[in-house]
Amino acid sequence: MGESSGGKAADAPYAIGLKRIYEPADPGDGYRILVDRLWARGVTKEQAAIDEWMKDIAPSPALRIWFGHLPERFAAFKERYTRELEENPECAGLAEAIRERALEQRVTLVYAAKDPVHNHAKVLYEWLISR
């Protein structure tokens, strides 16, 4: 089941949720945005039902490789990825586009990572709703 799948976050006016790309798409997902730099293995475009692919809001390739989905690196990864989000003007524009859409309709950030807690999409989600 996708995270924050119902309604808007309590502390934000945005209707944003999280869901793994391997979970079936659902009409309740609303506008589905893939926030990974790479396409998920074994998933067709039809299965993914992605409305938009925002590769450039994902962590830089160097940061993604360094993190390697190791939970013990997550705190440092979160700090570094947040810095990338805040310092990259392109990320700021993409984030604003997500927020604007989420004021109008539900937006689901779709990602491929296996770990639902220690991943970039969770960091992105928290960053989006905290601003």
Side-chain angles (χ1 to χ4, degrees), residues 40-56:
R41 288 186 195 131
V43 177
T44 66
K45 289 184 180 182
E46 293 75 28
Q47 290 169 325
I50 297 300
D51 294 299
E52 187 171 354
W53 186 3
M54 288 189 177
K55 296 177 187 181
D56 293 328

Side-chain angles (χ1 to χ4, degrees), residues 9-78:
D11 59 348
Y14 311 111
I16 301 175
L18 287 170
K19 194 169 194 180
R20 286 190 74 225
I21 198 167
Y22 300 104
E23 296 177 54
D26 182 272
D29 294 343
Y31 193 81
R32 292 169 52 91
I33 302 173
L34 180 60
V35 294
D36 282 344
R37 200 167 287 275
L38 305 172
W39 190 265
R41 288 186 195 131
V43 177
T44 66
K45 289 184 180 182
E46 293 75 28
Q47 290 169 325
I50 297 300
D51 294 299
E52 187 171 354
W53 186 3
M54 288 189 177
K55 296 177 187 181
D56 293 328
I57 204 163
S60 65
L63 180 57
R64 179 182 58 80
I65 291 166
W66 172 83
F67 173 45
H69 297 286
L70 298 172
E72 62 271 19
R73 290 187 178 170
F74 185 69
F77 167 78
K78 182 176 180 177

Side-chain angles (χ1 to χ4, degrees), residues 68-87:
H69 297 286
L70 298 172
E72 62 271 19
R73 290 187 178 170
F74 185 69
F77 167 78
K78 182 176 180 177
E79 188 177 302
R80 291 176 186 186
Y81 180 39
T82 299
R83 193 173 322 119
E84 283 188 356
L85 290 168
E86 291 175 351
E87 293 176 358

